[in-house]
DNA sequence: CTGCCATTTTACCGGC
DNA sequence: GCCGGTAAAATGGCAG
C-alpha cells in the first residue's frame, strides 16, 4: 500500500477509529463523574445515620414494578417456609 | 412514639431518606443513559468493521499513562519469554 | 547475562514462574468444573418446577448467620415503612 | 391443604427443595476453597517477587489457542498504529 | 447467530 | 500501605 498514512494503516481507517475512541472516552468521563456523585450521596446519607447497604436495596426494590416485587417476595417467603428458614 | 408518621418511623426520618433515594435514582438514570450511549458507539463502530473488544483494549491503554503502559508491557514480555510463550 | 536460558530471562526464574502458573491452571480447571456442576443443579431444579433466582436468594440467606439476617431484614423493613414502600 | 407440613408448603416440596439447596451449598463451599487456594498461590508468587497482575495475563494468554492469541495481538497492534498509540 | 442477561473477574475506594 | 469490600468491566451462558 503506497500511500499508507497513520490514518490508513493496513486498511484500518485511523481517523474513524480515533473518533470512536474519543467519543467513548468522553462518555466514560461523564459516567465516572456521575458515579462519584452517587458515592457522595451515599456518603452524605451515611453521615446522617443511614445505612448505605440497606439504601441500595431500597433503590433496587423501587426499580422493580410493584407486581414483580410482590410476586418475588411471596415466592421467596413460600420457599423459606418450605425449608424452614425464618 | 406517639406522633409516629410515615415521615418518622421508628426514629427514621422518612423525608430525608426518600430525598436521598430520589437523588440517587436520578443519578442512576443518567448513568444508565450514558452506558447506553457507550454501547451504541461500540455498536456503530462494529457496524463499520471495527472490533469492539480490541477497541476496549485501546481505551484502557490510552487511560494509562505512558510510563505505566510501557512498564507493564515490558514486564509481560519478560514473563512470556521466561516461560517460553510466544 | 551470559548463561541466560529460558529458565532465567532477565533475572526472571522461568521454572518457578511456570510452576506457579501451572498450579493456578489446575485449580482454575477444578473451579470451572464445580461451576458447571452448580449450574447443572439449578437446571435440574428448574426442570422440577423450582425458580432458580429465588433459590439463589435462599442460598444467600442461609449463608448469613441468623442474627445478621434478622437485623438486616428488620432495618430494611423499617426503611421501607419510612418511605412508604410496600 | 389439610396435611400441609414443613415438607409441603403451599404445594412446594420442601424436602426436594432443601436437597437441592444443600447440594448447591456443598459445591459452593468447594468452589470457595479453591478460590482461596488460587489466591494463596498468587500471594506466594508475589512473596517471591512476581507480579500477580501480569501472571493473570499469562494465564489468560495460555488459555487461548495460539492462533487466536496471535490474531488478537496483531489486530491490537494494527489499531494502535492506526491511531498512533505506542 | 445475535443480542441479552447473569456471573465472574478486575479495578477502585475507603477504612484500619 | 495493605486489606477488605464495593462497583465496573468483561466474559460466558442462555434464549429468541
Amino acid at each position: 500500500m503506497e500511500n499508507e498514512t497513520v490514518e490508513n494503516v493496513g486498511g484500518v481507517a485511523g481517523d474513524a477509529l480515533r473518533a470512536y475512541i474519543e467519543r467513548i472516552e468522553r462518555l466514560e468521563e461523564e459516567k465516572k463523574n456521575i458515579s462519584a456523585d452517587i458515592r457522595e450521596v451515599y456518603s452524605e446519607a451515611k453521615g446522617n445515620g443511614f445505612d448505605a447497604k440497606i439504601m441500595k436495596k431500597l433503590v433496587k426494590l423501587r426499580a422493580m414494578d410493584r407486581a414483580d416485587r410482590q410476586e418475588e417476595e411471596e415466592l421467596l417467603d413460600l420457599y423459606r417456609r418450605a425449608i424452614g428458614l425464618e
Side-chain angles (χ1 to χ4, degrees), chain A residues 3-19:
Chain A
N3 68 342
E4 179 165 295
T5 68
V6 72
E7 268 72 46
N8 186 4
V9 175
V12 172
D15 277 350
L17 179 56
R18 194 180 308 100

Side-chain angles (χ1 to χ4, degrees), chain A residues 21-85:
Chain A
I21 297 294
E22 286 171 359
R23 278 170 68 192
I24 291 165
E25 285 172 341
R26 278 189 291 275
L27 290 165
E28 294 280 13
E29 180 65 19
E30 287 181 51
K31 196 162 75 135
K32 203 174 147 187
N33 291 335
I34 294 175
S35 295
D37 290 346
I38 292 171
R39 243 176 294 122
E40 209 178 332
V41 177
Y42 278 116
S43 177
E44 187 187 331
K46 186 182 172 184
N48 285 315
F50 293 104
D51 181 311
K53 185 176 171 184
I54 305 294
M55 288 177 67
K56 280 171 200 182
K57 293 203 176 187
L58 279 187
V59 171
K60 244 189 193 164
L61 287 169
R62 280 169 56 108
M64 301 172 65
D65 82 31
R66 187 190 177 112
D68 288 351
R69 185 166 61 237
Q70 290 184 345
E71 185 189 336
E72 193 169 297
E73 287 174 345
E74 278 160 24
L75 195 52
L76 177 57
D77 197 53
L78 183 62
Y79 280 21
R80 286 177 77 149
R81 282 184 284 116
I83 66 167
L85 177 70

